[in-house]
């Protein structure tokens, strides 16, 4: 059993436990459930400059502890001050050290910016969870869902007022999973079965994603030149977590990247 299979197996157990503890009627009564959501896709679609979606991430299965000495409200607030277009917060407990509490604290500190619930969605119940904690966007990972599940979950997400980021890793996943009810397509440069990364994944798939979908590149993004190269391939958003989180001050790390990106857009041609 590979890492992704272990995560999904655990997620099925976790969801069933949660259903018994917190029925949907209870989730619907949460104050944030009635909140009007903010659109990440709209913020990205007309971008004339690379936009960063900054992630709060404590640990990962491949890296172990990345940074467990910072608070989500502080890090995400500094991300926003440094120019993040959106926030991503991990809510998976067992493998990524995330929690609803992390998300809620980030939400309270940043009430208006689009926020992605970063988790492994395998059940409609989790969409209600996302809405109840103030999420604007949910992630559907093609590698752990059947095409029909992507359609059904994305339609339900829209019915709840949530946007959908479909994550793919290769051309096959893109071909069988892409549907009209997703808003954004994220290409993960990290293979979730081996956890190896390569930005060539985003470059190869860039021309296969229709322009009607907002394109986002995820994982393995460390420098401005790489981001500019992918921006020229049509990617509008760049989801970055580990690169920032492994530093002492993640918000300052984003600020430094933004400054370098500004220099590239005004003075440096980037070879494709």
């Amino acid at each position: 059993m590979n890492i992704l299979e272990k995560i999904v197996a655990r997620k099925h157990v976790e969801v069933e436990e949660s259903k018994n503890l917190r029925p949907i009627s209870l989730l619907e009564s949460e104050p944030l459930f009635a909140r009007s959501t903010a659109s990440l896709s709209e913020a990205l679609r007309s971008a004339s400059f690379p936009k960063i979606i900054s992630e709060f991430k404590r640990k990962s299965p491949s890296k172990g502890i990345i940074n467990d000495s910072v608070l989500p409200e502080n890090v995400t607030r500094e991300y926003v001050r440094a120019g993040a277009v959106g926030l991503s917060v991990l809510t998976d407990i067992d493998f990524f050290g995330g929690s609803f509490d992390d998300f809620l604290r980030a939400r309270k500190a940043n009430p208006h910016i689009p926020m992605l619930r970063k988790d492994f969605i395998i059940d409609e119940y989790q969409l209600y969870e996302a809405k109840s904690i103030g999420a604007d966007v949910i992630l559907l990972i093609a590698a752990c869902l059947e095409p029909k599940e992507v359609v059904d979950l994305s339609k339900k997400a829209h019915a709840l007022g949530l946007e959908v980021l479909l994550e793919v890793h290769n051309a096959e996943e893109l071909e069988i999973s892409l549907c009209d009810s997703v808003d954004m397509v994220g290409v993960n440069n990290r293979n979730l079965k081996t956890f190896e990364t390569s930005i060539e994944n985003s470059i190869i798939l860039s021309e296969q994603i229709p322009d009607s979908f907002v394109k986002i590149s995820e994982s393995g993004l460390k420098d401005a030149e790489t981001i500019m190269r992918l921006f020229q391939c049509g990617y509008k958003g760049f989801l970055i977590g580990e690169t920032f989180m492994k530093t002492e001050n993640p918000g300052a790390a984003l600020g430094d990247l933004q400054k370098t990106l500004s220099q590239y857009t005004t003075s440096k041609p980037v070879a494709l």
Side-chain angles (χ1 to χ4, degrees):
M1 185 180 287
N2 61 45
I3 295 175
L4 180 59
E5 290 169 338
K6 290 178 181 178
I7 293 173
V8 172
R10 171 57 190 152
K11 195 61 57 177
H12 279 284
V13 174
E14 180 185 306
V15 168
E16 290 307 311
E17 292 174 344
S18 296
K19 286 179 179 179
N20 291 326
L21 290 172
R22 303 181 72 217
I24 287 177
S25 59
L26 184 59
L27 298 177
E28 290 176 322
S29 69
E30 293 290 343
L32 287 171
F33 197 91
R35 172 183 168 273
S36 296
T37 51
S39 175
L40 178 61
S41 65
E42 288 182 11
L44 291 172
R45 191 175 297 279
S46 60
S48 58
F49 183 85
K51 298 292 186 179
I52 309 300
I53 304 161
S54 301
E55 187 164 87
F56 184 82
K57 180 179 181 180
R58 296 182 184 276
K59 70 175 187 177
S60 76
S62 60
K63 301 291 184 179
I65 298 295
I66 298 170
N67 191 336
D68 60 355
S69 62
V70 290
L71 298 175
E73 59 268 38
N74 293 342
V75 171
T76 55
R77 190 182 292 116
E78 290 303 314
Y79 277 156
V80 174
R81 287 175 181 167
V85 70
L87 300 171
S88 171
V89 178
L90 271 295
T91 57
D92 176 80
I93 300 172
D94 294 338
F95 295 89
F96 289 87
S99 67
F100 286 172
D101 183 60
D102 282 349
F103 197 100
L104 288 165
R105 289 164 71 173
R107 176 82 282 169
K108 184 177 180 180
N110 309 276
H112 305 300
I113 194 168
M115 283 182 58
L116 166 70
R117 178 195 177 183
K118 187 77 172 292
D119 211 319
F120 296 79
I121 304 293
I122 48 89
D123 191 285
E124 186 178 287
Y125 174 84
Q126 293 166 284
L127 305 180
Y128 286 88
E129 285 183 326
K131 183 72 172 171
S132 75
I133 59 174
D136 303 284
V137 189
I138 56 99
L139 179 71
L140 297 181
I141 302 173
C144 59
L145 294 168
E146 296 296 328
K148 186 179 184 304
E149 291 177 311
V150 172
V151 172
D152 292 344
L153 288 169
S154 57
K155 287 183 176 179
K156 184 61 180 180
H158 280 177
L160 291 173
L162 299 165
E163 288 193 324
V164 178
L165 170 60
L166 173 67
E167 178 178 294
V168 299
H169 301 81
N170 53 51
E172 180 183 2
E173 289 178 0
L174 178 65
E175 181 179 358
I176 67 173
S177 299
L178 188 60
C179 58
D180 292 339
S181 48
V182 305
D183 305 285
M184 297 160 281
V185 178
V187 177
N188 195 334
N189 301 307
R190 176 175 288 117
N191 185 316
L192 287 184
K193 296 179 180 178
T194 65
F195 275 73
E196 296 177 352
T197 60
S198 171
I199 65 149
E200 296 301 318
N201 210 32
S202 285
I203 294 171
I204 291 170
L205 292 181
S206 61
E207 294 184 358
Q208 300 178 42
I209 303 171
D211 290 337
S212 56
F213 299 96
V214 174
K215 303 175 188 179
I216 296 173
S217 183
E218 310 169 14
S219 302
L221 304 169
K222 300 178 181 179
D223 60 85
E225 184 172 0
T226 297
I227 291 170
M228 287 305 304
R229 184 183 179 194
L230 292 172
F231 182 71
Q232 292 178 5
C233 289
Y235 290 92
K236 298 288 190 175
F238 301 86
L239 199 158
I240 304 175
E242 184 180 319
T243 297
F244 299 146
M245 288 297 296
K246 68 183 181 182
T247 67
E248 185 175 342
N249 189 330
L254 169 59
D256 290 342
L257 176 61
Q258 297 276 40
K259 290 177 184 178
T260 308
L261 283 170
S262 297
Q263 294 169 2
Y264 267 93
T265 57
T266 57
S267 63
K268 296 185 181 182
V270 179
L272 293 175

